[in-house]
Amino acid sequence: MEGQDGMSKTLSIGWTVLAKNAPRPRLNCGRCGKVQSFHSSGKIRLNANGRKLDAWLVYKCTHCNATWNRPVIERIPINTLSKSYLTALETSDETMVRRFEFEVGGLAYFTHQIEWERGLLIQRHLVSPMSEDWSSATILIRTPVRLHIRVERLMSYALDISRADCRNLFLEGGMKIRRPSGQQIWRGPVKTEMEIDVQRCVLKTSSLLRLY
Ligand SMILES: [Zn+2]
């Protein structure tokens, strides 16, 4: 970090970005007699068969509450699973459930119709010590579960600026992707880990307040 004698100061900021709502598969509901969307119940069901374990994440029809069991573990020898993993399964551990819920690849095995509700949850915090005269900030973005959203859309949402303004900031250098390399990445999907530099002078007060 530069600093001291009149040189520019950079703030380091961390954002953890999560989707508010898990994707919902659309499946044929036997009780409704048609395709409906299903939501996760947050509960894991287990069945031990001899020394092998099956686990399902239980979904419910949003219309009639009929259940659908989504396989998450199939016939895995119990002795190959760690105690903590087993406990997490048995207690429907929130973090584990959330990870299963967001594994879209796994869902796509059962249906091609997946509803992805928009809405992001951004946990922001200051990584470096606060300095009043900072001139630029590096935002370290982490997305623990894959988000199907473009970088420019995330930044315009997070900083409350229009998509057009956001695009201009990337084009004119007010915002720059530091990592991974490649300046055009802002047009593409958000990666698991990214670093974006933003100049203080290009942000309005309302956006500055949303940084951390
Ligand atoms: Zn139903």
mmCIF file of all heavy atoms in Angstrom, residues 107-135:
data_model
loop_
_atom_site.group_PDB
_atom_site.id
_atom_site.type_symbol
_atom_site.label_atom_id
_atom_site.label_comp_id
_atom_site.label_asym_id
_atom_site.label_seq_id
_atom_site.Cartn_x
_atom_site.Cartn_y
_atom_site.Cartn_z
ATOM 1 N N LEU A 107 -28.586 -29.988 -10.104
ATOM 2 C CA LEU A 107 -30.020 -29.854 -10.398
ATOM 3 C C LEU A 107 -30.307 -30.086 -11.868
ATOM 4 O O LEU A 107 -31.335 -30.659 -12.234
ATOM 5 C CB LEU A 107 -30.497 -28.433 -10.042
ATOM 6 C CG LEU A 107 -31.051 -28.176 -8.661
ATOM 7 C CD1 LEU A 107 -31.562 -26.749 -8.577
ATOM 8 C CD2 LEU A 107 -32.170 -29.158 -8.332
ATOM 9 N N ALA A 108 -29.378 -29.612 -12.694
ATOM 10 C CA ALA A 108 -29.597 -29.701 -14.140
ATOM 11 C C ALA A 108 -29.680 -31.149 -14.608
ATOM 12 O O ALA A 108 -30.177 -31.430 -15.694
ATOM 13 C CB ALA A 108 -28.470 -28.971 -14.874
ATOM 14 N N TYR A 109 -29.236 -32.061 -13.776
ATOM 15 C CA TYR A 109 -29.321 -33.475 -14.101
ATOM 16 C C TYR A 109 -30.788 -33.932 -14.099
ATOM 17 O O TYR A 109 -31.161 -34.870 -14.797
ATOM 18 C CB TYR A 109 -28.521 -34.249 -13.047
ATOM 19 C CG TYR A 109 -28.410 -35.728 -13.297
ATOM 20 C CD1 TYR A 109 -27.548 -36.224 -14.270
ATOM 21 C CD2 TYR A 109 -29.174 -36.629 -12.552
ATOM 22 C CE1 TYR A 109 -27.454 -37.575 -14.499
ATOM 23 C CE2 TYR A 109 -29.078 -37.989 -12.782
ATOM 24 C CZ TYR A 109 -28.220 -38.456 -13.743
ATOM 25 O OH TYR A 109 -28.125 -39.793 -13.971
ATOM 26 N N PHE A 110 -31.623 -33.250 -13.321
ATOM 27 C CA PHE A 110 -33.023 -33.651 -13.178
ATOM 28 C C PHE A 110 -33.995 -32.817 -14.010
ATOM 29 O O PHE A 110 -35.089 -33.252 -14.312
ATOM 30 C CB PHE A 110 -33.446 -33.588 -11.698
ATOM 31 C CG PHE A 110 -32.603 -34.446 -10.820
ATOM 32 C CD1 PHE A 110 -31.552 -33.916 -10.100
ATOM 33 C CD2 PHE A 110 -32.829 -35.820 -10.754
ATOM 34 C CE1 PHE A 110 -30.744 -34.718 -9.310
ATOM 35 C CE2 PHE A 110 -32.033 -36.638 -9.976
ATOM 36 C CZ PHE A 110 -30.989 -36.081 -9.248
ATOM 37 N N THR A 111 -33.614 -31.599 -14.308
ATOM 38 C CA THR A 111 -34.510 -30.753 -15.089
ATOM 39 C C THR A 111 -33.712 -29.678 -15.825
ATOM 40 O O THR A 111 -32.657 -29.248 -15.349
ATOM 41 C CB THR A 111 -35.559 -30.053 -14.185
ATOM 42 O OG1 THR A 111 -36.333 -29.168 -14.996
ATOM 43 C CG2 THR A 111 -34.923 -29.269 -13.053
ATOM 44 N N HIS A 112 -34.208 -29.286 -16.971
ATOM 45 C CA HIS A 112 -33.562 -28.194 -17.702
ATOM 46 C C HIS A 112 -34.197 -26.867 -17.330
ATOM 47 O O HIS A 112 -33.730 -25.812 -17.728
ATOM 48 C CB HIS A 112 -33.664 -28.417 -19.212
ATOM 49 C CG HIS A 112 -32.866 -29.599 -19.654
ATOM 50 N ND1 HIS A 112 -31.500 -29.668 -19.457
ATOM 51 C CD2 HIS A 112 -33.224 -30.766 -20.234
ATOM 52 C CE1 HIS A 112 -31.060 -30.828 -19.911
ATOM 53 N NE2 HIS A 112 -32.082 -31.519 -20.382
ATOM 54 N N GLN A 113 -35.314 -26.953 -16.567
ATOM 55 C CA GLN A 113 -35.989 -25.711 -16.185
ATOM 56 C C GLN A 113 -35.603 -25.365 -14.755
ATOM 57 O O GLN A 113 -36.054 -26.018 -13.819
ATOM 58 C CB GLN A 113 -37.504 -25.878 -16.271
ATOM 59 C CG GLN A 113 -38.016 -26.139 -17.671
ATOM 60 C CD GLN A 113 -39.538 -26.210 -17.667
ATOM 61 O OE1 GLN A 113 -40.209 -25.303 -17.199
ATOM 62 N NE2 GLN A 113 -40.072 -27.302 -18.158
ATOM 63 N N ILE A 114 -34.774 -24.380 -14.634
ATOM 64 C CA ILE A 114 -34.360 -23.945 -13.303
ATOM 65 C C ILE A 114 -34.661 -22.456 -13.166
ATOM 66 O O ILE A 114 -34.225 -21.647 -13.988
ATOM 67 C CB ILE A 114 -32.861 -24.218 -13.080
ATOM 68 C CG1 ILE A 114 -32.628 -25.738 -13.088
ATOM 69 C CG2 ILE A 114 -32.392 -23.624 -11.756
ATOM 70 C CD1 ILE A 114 -31.187 -26.159 -13.101
ATOM 71 N N GLU A 115 -35.429 -22.131 -12.156
ATOM 72 C CA GLU A 115 -35.752 -20.718 -11.928
ATOM 73 C C GLU A 115 -34.671 -20.121 -11.044
ATOM 74 O O GLU A 115 -34.363 -20.660 -9.985
ATOM 75 C CB GLU A 115 -37.095 -20.574 -11.216
ATOM 76 C CG GLU A 115 -38.261 -20.991 -12.062
ATOM 77 C CD GLU A 115 -39.554 -20.979 -11.272
ATOM 78 O OE1 GLU A 115 -39.501 -20.860 -10.030
ATOM 79 O OE2 GLU A 115 -40.611 -21.089 -11.897
ATOM 80 N N TRP A 116 -34.121 -19.038 -11.497
ATOM 81 C CA TRP A 116 -33.066 -18.387 -10.744
ATOM 82 C C TRP A 116 -33.561 -17.007 -10.332
ATOM 83 O O TRP A 116 -33.629 -16.091 -11.123
ATOM 84 C CB TRP A 116 -31.808 -18.288 -11.602
ATOM 85 C CG TRP A 116 -30.642 -17.895 -10.794
ATOM 86 C CD1 TRP A 116 -30.213 -16.622 -10.568
ATOM 87 C CD2 TRP A 116 -29.761 -18.745 -10.072
ATOM 88 N NE1 TRP A 116 -29.133 -16.642 -9.740
ATOM 89 C CE2 TRP A 116 -28.825 -17.927 -9.428
ATOM 90 C CE3 TRP A 116 -29.675 -20.131 -9.899
ATOM 91 C CZ2 TRP A 116 -27.811 -18.445 -8.619
ATOM 92 C CZ3 TRP A 116 -28.665 -20.627 -9.104
ATOM 93 C CH2 TRP A 116 -27.741 -19.798 -8.486
ATOM 94 N N GLU A 117 -33.958 -16.909 -9.084
ATOM 95 C CA GLU A 117 -34.462 -15.623 -8.619
ATOM 96 C C GLU A 117 -33.309 -14.663 -8.430
ATOM 97 O O GLU A 117 -32.276 -15.025 -7.906
ATOM 98 C CB GLU A 117 -35.207 -15.793 -7.291
ATOM 99 C CG GLU A 117 -36.593 -16.347 -7.458
ATOM 100 C CD GLU A 117 -37.282 -16.453 -6.110
ATOM 101 O OE1 GLU A 117 -37.399 -15.422 -5.438
ATOM 102 O OE2 GLU A 117 -37.658 -17.567 -5.748
ATOM 103 N N ARG A 118 -33.530 -13.434 -8.837
ATOM 104 C CA ARG A 118 -32.492 -12.422 -8.682
ATOM 105 C C ARG A 118 -32.472 -11.916 -7.250
ATOM 106 O O ARG A 118 -33.400 -12.102 -6.502
ATOM 107 C CB ARG A 118 -32.740 -11.273 -9.653
ATOM 108 C CG ARG A 118 -32.669 -11.717 -11.112
ATOM 109 C CD ARG A 118 -31.272 -12.214 -11.454
ATOM 110 N NE ARG A 118 -31.237 -12.845 -12.778
ATOM 111 C CZ ARG A 118 -30.202 -13.529 -13.222
ATOM 112 N NH1 ARG A 118 -29.160 -13.703 -12.461
ATOM 113 N NH2 ARG A 118 -30.218 -14.052 -14.417
ATOM 114 N N GLY A 119 -31.467 -11.255 -6.908
ATOM 115 C CA GLY A 119 -31.344 -10.713 -5.556
ATOM 116 C C GLY A 119 -30.035 -11.164 -4.946
ATOM 117 O O GLY A 119 -29.759 -12.360 -4.913
ATOM 118 N N LEU A 120 -29.237 -10.206 -4.532
ATOM 119 C CA LEU A 120 -27.920 -10.538 -4.001
ATOM 120 C C LEU A 120 -27.785 -10.064 -2.565
ATOM 121 O O LEU A 120 -28.392 -9.090 -2.158
ATOM 122 C CB LEU A 120 -26.827 -9.852 -4.830
ATOM 123 C CG LEU A 120 -26.694 -10.280 -6.276
ATOM 124 C CD1 LEU A 120 -25.712 -9.372 -6.988
ATOM 125 C CD2 LEU A 120 -26.243 -11.729 -6.373
ATOM 126 N N LEU A 121 -26.968 -10.791 -1.844
ATOM 127 C CA LEU A 121 -26.656 -10.445 -0.474
ATOM 128 C C LEU A 121 -25.155 -10.141 -0.476
ATOM 129 O O LEU A 121 -24.372 -11.008 -0.841
ATOM 130 C CB LEU A 121 -26.964 -11.651 0.396
ATOM 131 C CG LEU A 121 -27.118 -11.465 1.877
ATOM 132 C CD1 LEU A 121 -28.356 -10.624 2.155
ATOM 133 C CD2 LEU A 121 -27.272 -12.826 2.534
ATOM 134 N N ILE A 122 -24.776 -8.934 -0.111
ATOM 135 C CA ILE A 122 -23.359 -8.580 -0.142
ATOM 136 C C ILE A 122 -22.887 -8.226 1.261
ATOM 137 O O ILE A 122 -23.407 -7.297 1.865
ATOM 138 C CB ILE A 122 -23.095 -7.405 -1.107
ATOM 139 C CG1 ILE A 122 -23.669 -7.728 -2.490
ATOM 140 C CG2 ILE A 122 -21.592 -7.112 -1.197
ATOM 141 C CD1 ILE A 122 -23.525 -6.598 -3.486
ATOM 142 N N GLN A 123 -21.950 -9.011 1.771
ATOM 143 C CA GLN A 123 -21.359 -8.719 3.083
ATOM 144 C C GLN A 123 -20.075 -7.936 2.829
ATOM 145 O O GLN A 123 -19.175 -8.426 2.159
ATOM 146 C CB GLN A 123 -21.056 -10.028 3.822
ATOM 147 C CG GLN A 123 -22.319 -10.823 4.106
ATOM 148 C CD GLN A 123 -22.045 -12.289 4.401
ATOM 149 O OE1 GLN A 123 -20.944 -12.793 4.211
ATOM 150 N NE2 GLN A 123 -23.078 -12.986 4.846
ATOM 151 N N ARG A 124 -20.034 -6.708 3.324
ATOM 152 C CA ARG A 124 -18.898 -5.826 3.018
ATOM 153 C C ARG A 124 -18.122 -5.508 4.285
ATOM 154 O O ARG A 124 -18.709 -5.333 5.341
ATOM 155 C CB ARG A 124 -19.416 -4.501 2.444
ATOM 156 C CG ARG A 124 -20.411 -4.665 1.313
ATOM 157 C CD ARG A 124 -21.286 -3.418 1.207
ATOM 158 N NE ARG A 124 -22.552 -3.725 0.570
ATOM 159 C CZ ARG A 124 -22.921 -3.288 -0.621
ATOM 160 N NH1 ARG A 124 -22.162 -2.491 -1.297
ATOM 161 N NH2 ARG A 124 -24.092 -3.637 -1.130
ATOM 162 N N HIS A 125 -16.824 -5.446 4.168
ATOM 163 C CA HIS A 125 -16.024 -5.017 5.307
ATOM 164 C C HIS A 125 -14.708 -4.421 4.843
ATOM 165 O O HIS A 125 -14.240 -4.687 3.732
ATOM 166 C CB HIS A 125 -15.780 -6.186 6.272
ATOM 167 C CG HIS A 125 -14.979 -7.282 5.673
ATOM 168 N ND1 HIS A 125 -15.530 -8.257 4.858
ATOM 169 C CD2 HIS A 125 -13.652 -7.546 5.723
ATOM 170 C CE1 HIS A 125 -14.571 -9.084 4.461
ATOM 171 N NE2 HIS A 125 -13.431 -8.678 4.966
ATOM 172 N N LEU A 126 -14.151 -3.602 5.724
ATOM 173 C CA LEU A 126 -12.886 -2.959 5.436
ATOM 174 C C LEU A 126 -11.766 -3.926 5.812
ATOM 175 O O LEU A 126 -11.757 -4.472 6.905
ATOM 176 C CB LEU A 126 -12.811 -1.688 6.290
ATOM 177 C CG LEU A 126 -11.879 -0.582 5.871
ATOM 178 C CD1 LEU A 126 -12.123 -0.176 4.426
ATOM 179 C CD2 LEU A 126 -12.073 0.606 6.813
ATOM 180 N N VAL A 127 -10.828 -4.141 4.885
ATOM 181 C CA VAL A 127 -9.713 -5.046 5.164
ATOM 182 C C VAL A 127 -8.512 -4.255 5.699
ATOM 183 O O VAL A 127 -7.886 -4.638 6.667
ATOM 184 C CB VAL A 127 -9.301 -5.827 3.892
ATOM 185 C CG1 VAL A 127 -8.101 -6.716 4.171
ATOM 186 C CG2 VAL A 127 -10.479 -6.668 3.391
ATOM 187 N N SER A 128 -8.223 -3.129 5.043
ATOM 188 C CA SER A 128 -7.091 -2.303 5.495
ATOM 189 C C SER A 128 -7.587 -1.296 6.521
ATOM 190 O O SER A 128 -8.780 -1.045 6.612
ATOM 191 C CB SER A 128 -6.488 -1.575 4.297
ATOM 192 O OG SER A 128 -7.468 -0.719 3.721
ATOM 193 N N PRO A 129 -6.677 -0.693 7.308
ATOM 194 C CA PRO A 129 -7.116 0.338 8.238
ATOM 195 C C PRO A 129 -7.716 1.518 7.471
ATOM 196 O O PRO A 129 -7.319 1.791 6.347
ATOM 197 C CB PRO A 129 -5.813 0.757 8.934
ATOM 198 C CG PRO A 129 -4.803 -0.248 8.574
ATOM 199 C CD PRO A 129 -5.236 -0.906 7.313
ATOM 200 N N MET A 130 -8.668 2.186 8.085
ATOM 201 C CA MET A 130 -9.311 3.317 7.428
ATOM 202 C C MET A 130 -8.330 4.472 7.312
ATOM 203 O O MET A 130 -7.544 4.728 8.216
ATOM 204 C CB MET A 130 -10.528 3.748 8.256
ATOM 205 C CG MET A 130 -11.333 4.848 7.607
ATOM 206 S SD MET A 130 -11.737 4.413 5.904
ATOM 207 C CE MET A 130 -12.187 5.976 5.240
ATOM 208 N N SER A 131 -8.372 5.119 6.176
ATOM 209 C CA SER A 131 -7.566 6.315 5.992
ATOM 210 C C SER A 131 -8.489 7.322 5.327
ATOM 211 O O SER A 131 -9.123 7.004 4.321
ATOM 212 C CB SER A 131 -6.361 5.959 5.136
ATOM 213 O OG SER A 131 -6.125 6.941 4.173
ATOM 214 N N GLU A 132 -8.597 8.505 5.895
ATOM 215 C CA GLU A 132 -9.586 9.474 5.383
ATOM 216 C C GLU A 132 -9.253 9.957 3.977
ATOM 217 O O GLU A 132 -10.130 10.283 3.203
ATOM 218 C CB GLU A 132 -9.684 10.673 6.336
ATOM 219 C CG GLU A 132 -10.337 10.371 7.678
ATOM 220 C CD GLU A 132 -11.727 9.744 7.563
ATOM 221 O OE1 GLU A 132 -12.446 10.073 6.599
ATOM 222 O OE2 GLU A 132 -12.081 8.905 8.414
ATOM 223 N N ASP A 133 -7.957 10.007 3.668
ATOM 224 C CA ASP A 133 -7.595 10.595 2.372
ATOM 225 C C ASP A 133 -7.258 9.544 1.306
ATOM 226 O O ASP A 133 -6.360 9.725 0.500
ATOM 227 C CB ASP A 133 -6.423 11.565 2.558
ATOM 228 C CG ASP A 133 -5.242 10.868 3.234
ATOM 229 O OD1 ASP A 133 -5.433 9.765 3.778
ATOM 230 O OD2 ASP A 133 -4.133 11.434 3.213
ATOM 231 N N TRP A 134 -7.986 8.470 1.328
ATOM 232 C CA TRP A 134 -7.750 7.446 0.307
ATOM 233 C C TRP A 134 -8.201 7.949 -1.066
ATOM 234 O O TRP A 134 -9.125 8.758 -1.167
ATOM 235 C CB TRP A 134 -8.446 6.147 0.674
ATOM 236 C CG TRP A 134 -9.943 6.212 0.741
ATOM 237 C CD1 TRP A 134 -10.692 6.629 1.796
ATOM 238 C CD2 TRP A 134 -10.869 5.843 -0.281
ATOM 239 N NE1 TRP A 134 -12.027 6.549 1.500
ATOM 240 C CE2 TRP A 134 -12.165 6.067 0.228
ATOM 241 C CE3 TRP A 134 -10.729 5.345 -1.582
ATOM 242 C CZ2 TRP A 134 -13.323 5.805 -0.526
ATOM 243 C CZ3 TRP A 134 -11.874 5.088 -2.326
ATOM 244 C CH2 TRP A 134 -13.144 5.321 -1.787
ATOM 245 N N SER A 135 -7.537 7.484 -2.097
ATOM 246 C CA SER A 135 -7.898 7.941 -3.441
ATOM 247 C C SER A 135 -8.404 6.801 -4.325
ATOM 248 O O SER A 135 -9.045 7.023 -5.334
ATOM 249 C CB SER A 135 -6.703 8.610 -4.110
ATOM 250 O OG SER A 135 -5.617 7.711 -4.100
#
